[in-house]
PDB file of all heavy atoms in Angstrom:
ATOM      1  N   ALA A1087      10.900 -33.575   2.846  1.00 84.00           N
ATOM      2  CA  ALA A1087      11.613 -32.528   1.959  1.00 84.00           C
ATOM      3  C   ALA A1087      11.085 -31.161   2.244  1.00 84.00           C
ATOM      4  O   ALA A1087      11.794 -30.215   2.025  1.00 84.00           O
ATOM      5  CB  ALA A1087      11.223 -32.934   0.503  1.00 84.00           C
ATOM      6  N   THR A1088       9.819 -31.110   2.684  1.00 81.00           N
ATOM      7  CA  THR A1088       9.230 -29.797   2.995  1.00 81.00           C
ATOM      8  C   THR A1088       9.426 -29.294   4.424  1.00 81.00           C
ATOM      9  O   THR A1088       8.894 -28.312   4.940  1.00 81.00           O
ATOM     10  CB  THR A1088       7.824 -29.762   2.652  1.00 81.00           C
ATOM     11  OG1 THR A1088       7.017 -30.775   3.399  1.00 81.00           O
ATOM     12  CG2 THR A1088       7.571 -29.964   1.160  1.00 81.00           C
ATOM     13  N   PHE A1089      10.203 -30.151   5.318  1.00 88.00           N
ATOM     14  CA  PHE A1089      10.276 -29.751   6.635  1.00 88.00           C
ATOM     15  C   PHE A1089      10.878 -28.454   6.962  1.00 88.00           C
ATOM     16  O   PHE A1089      10.341 -27.722   7.947  1.00 88.00           O
ATOM     17  CB  PHE A1089      11.146 -30.918   7.522  1.00 88.00           C
ATOM     18  CG  PHE A1089      11.206 -30.607   8.934  1.00 88.00           C
ATOM     19  CD1 PHE A1089      10.143 -30.686   9.786  1.00 88.00           C
ATOM     20  CD2 PHE A1089      12.465 -30.061   9.435  1.00 88.00           C
ATOM     21  CE1 PHE A1089      10.222 -30.459  11.150  1.00 88.00           C
ATOM     22  CE2 PHE A1089      12.531 -29.806  10.829  1.00 88.00           C
ATOM     23  CZ  PHE A1089      11.469 -30.062  11.607  1.00 88.00           C
ATOM     24  N   LYS A1090      11.808 -27.997   6.266  1.00 86.00           N
ATOM     25  CA  LYS A1090      12.500 -26.775   6.546  1.00 86.00           C
ATOM     26  C   LYS A1090      11.472 -25.653   6.427  1.00 86.00           C
ATOM     27  O   LYS A1090      11.468 -24.735   7.253  1.00 86.00           O
ATOM     28  CB  LYS A1090      13.675 -26.579   5.518  1.00 86.00           C
ATOM     29  CG  LYS A1090      14.397 -25.170   5.791  1.00 86.00           C
ATOM     30  CD  LYS A1090      15.726 -25.060   4.939  1.00 86.00           C
ATOM     31  CE  LYS A1090      16.431 -23.809   5.171  1.00 86.00           C
ATOM     32  NZ  LYS A1090      17.487 -23.620   4.133  1.00 86.00           N
ATOM     33  N   THR A1091      10.722 -25.635   5.410  1.00 83.00           N
ATOM     34  CA  THR A1091       9.648 -24.612   5.119  1.00 83.00           C
ATOM     35  C   THR A1091       8.669 -24.741   6.166  1.00 83.00           C
ATOM     36  O   THR A1091       8.242 -23.609   6.761  1.00 83.00           O
ATOM     37  CB  THR A1091       9.022 -24.787   3.815  1.00 83.00           C
ATOM     38  OG1 THR A1091      10.077 -24.600   2.802  1.00 83.00           O
ATOM     39  CG2 THR A1091       7.964 -23.683   3.531  1.00 83.00           C
ATOM     40  N   GLU A1092       8.134 -25.874   6.507  1.00 85.00           N
ATOM     41  CA  GLU A1092       7.128 -26.049   7.501  1.00 85.00           C
ATOM     42  C   GLU A1092       7.564 -25.676   8.909  1.00 85.00           C
ATOM     43  O   GLU A1092       6.859 -25.077   9.717  1.00 85.00           O
ATOM     44  CB  GLU A1092       6.648 -27.590   7.538  1.00 85.00           C
ATOM     45  CG  GLU A1092       5.883 -27.892   6.272  1.00 85.00           C
ATOM     46  CD  GLU A1092       5.705 -29.421   6.176  1.00 85.00           C
ATOM     47  OE1 GLU A1092       6.141 -30.216   7.133  1.00 85.00           O
ATOM     48  OE2 GLU A1092       5.035 -29.850   5.246  1.00 85.00           O
ATOM     49  N   TRP A1093       8.853 -25.968   9.181  1.00 88.00           N
ATOM     50  CA  TRP A1093       9.472 -25.516  10.450  1.00 88.00           C
ATOM     51  C   TRP A1093       9.503 -24.012  10.675  1.00 88.00           C
ATOM     52  O   TRP A1093       9.270 -23.476  11.659  1.00 88.00           O
ATOM     53  CB  TRP A1093      10.785 -26.221  10.736  1.00 88.00           C
ATOM     54  CG  TRP A1093      11.365 -25.869  12.092  1.00 88.00           C
ATOM     55  CD1 TRP A1093      12.366 -24.908  12.392  1.00 88.00           C
ATOM     56  CD2 TRP A1093      10.896 -26.370  13.381  1.00 88.00           C
ATOM     57  NE1 TRP A1093      12.613 -24.813  13.777  1.00 88.00           N
ATOM     58  CE2 TRP A1093      11.626 -25.747  14.359  1.00 88.00           C
ATOM     59  CE3 TRP A1093       9.872 -27.254  13.693  1.00 88.00           C
ATOM     60  CZ2 TRP A1093      11.558 -26.045  15.738  1.00 88.00           C
ATOM     61  CZ3 TRP A1093       9.842 -27.529  15.039  1.00 88.00           C
ATOM     62  CH2 TRP A1093      10.557 -26.947  16.074  1.00 88.00           C
ATOM     63  N   ALA A1094       9.870 -23.376   9.534  1.00 87.00           N
ATOM     64  CA  ALA A1094      10.072 -21.913   9.605  1.00 87.00           C
ATOM     65  C   ALA A1094       8.659 -21.302   9.875  1.00 87.00           C
ATOM     66  O   ALA A1094       8.529 -20.351  10.514  1.00 87.00           O
ATOM     67  CB  ALA A1094      10.698 -21.367   8.243  1.00 87.00           C
ATOM     68  N   VAL A1095       7.621 -21.830   9.108  1.00 85.00           N
ATOM     69  CA  VAL A1095       6.294 -21.366   9.362  1.00 85.00           C
ATOM     70  C   VAL A1095       5.838 -21.567  10.810  1.00 85.00           C
ATOM     71  O   VAL A1095       5.296 -20.743  11.502  1.00 85.00           O
ATOM     72  CB  VAL A1095       5.295 -21.993   8.421  1.00 85.00           C
ATOM     73  CG1 VAL A1095       3.864 -21.611   8.765  1.00 85.00           C
ATOM     74  CG2 VAL A1095       5.624 -21.565   6.940  1.00 85.00           C
ATOM     75  N   PHE A1096       6.146 -22.859  11.334  1.00 90.00           N
ATOM     76  CA  PHE A1096       5.679 -23.264  12.633  1.00 90.00           C
ATOM     77  C   PHE A1096       6.477 -22.185  13.689  1.00 90.00           C
ATOM     78  O   PHE A1096       5.742 -21.752  14.603  1.00 90.00           O
ATOM     79  CB  PHE A1096       6.087 -24.610  12.912  1.00 90.00           C
ATOM     80  CG  PHE A1096       5.967 -24.997  14.425  1.00 90.00           C
ATOM     81  CD1 PHE A1096       4.694 -25.287  14.932  1.00 90.00           C
ATOM     82  CD2 PHE A1096       7.083 -25.074  15.251  1.00 90.00           C
ATOM     83  CE1 PHE A1096       4.507 -25.614  16.349  1.00 90.00           C
ATOM     84  CE2 PHE A1096       6.851 -25.413  16.582  1.00 90.00           C
ATOM     85  CZ  PHE A1096       5.646 -25.600  17.142  1.00 90.00           C
ATOM     86  N   GLU A1097       7.729 -22.036  13.526  1.00 91.00           N
ATOM     87  CA  GLU A1097       8.475 -21.188  14.556  1.00 91.00           C
ATOM     88  C   GLU A1097       7.847 -19.759  14.497  1.00 91.00           C
ATOM     89  O   GLU A1097       7.701 -19.128  15.556  1.00 91.00           O
ATOM     90  CB  GLU A1097       9.928 -21.183  14.146  1.00 91.00           C
ATOM     91  CG  GLU A1097      10.783 -20.521  15.184  1.00 91.00           C
ATOM     92  CD  GLU A1097      12.330 -20.636  14.831  1.00 91.00           C
ATOM     93  OE1 GLU A1097      12.618 -21.297  13.910  1.00 91.00           O
ATOM     94  OE2 GLU A1097      13.112 -20.096  15.728  1.00 91.00           O
ATOM     95  N   ASN A1098       7.504 -19.198  13.316  1.00 90.00           N
ATOM     96  CA  ASN A1098       6.994 -17.955  13.235  1.00 90.00           C
ATOM     97  C   ASN A1098       5.565 -17.885  13.928  1.00 90.00           C
ATOM     98  O   ASN A1098       5.148 -16.997  14.642  1.00 90.00           O
ATOM     99  CB  ASN A1098       6.848 -17.384  11.754  1.00 90.00           C
ATOM    100  CG  ASN A1098       8.171 -16.990  11.362  1.00 90.00           C
ATOM    101  OD1 ASN A1098       9.061 -16.728  11.970  1.00 90.00           O
ATOM    102  ND2 ASN A1098       8.260 -16.888   9.933  1.00 90.00           N
TER     103      ASN A1098
END
Side-chain angles (χ1 to χ4, degrees):
T1088 57
F1089 178 73
K1090 182 179 179 181
T1091 299
E1092 292 172 356
W1093 181 256
V1095 172
F1096 170 79
E1097 188 171 0
N1098 284 345

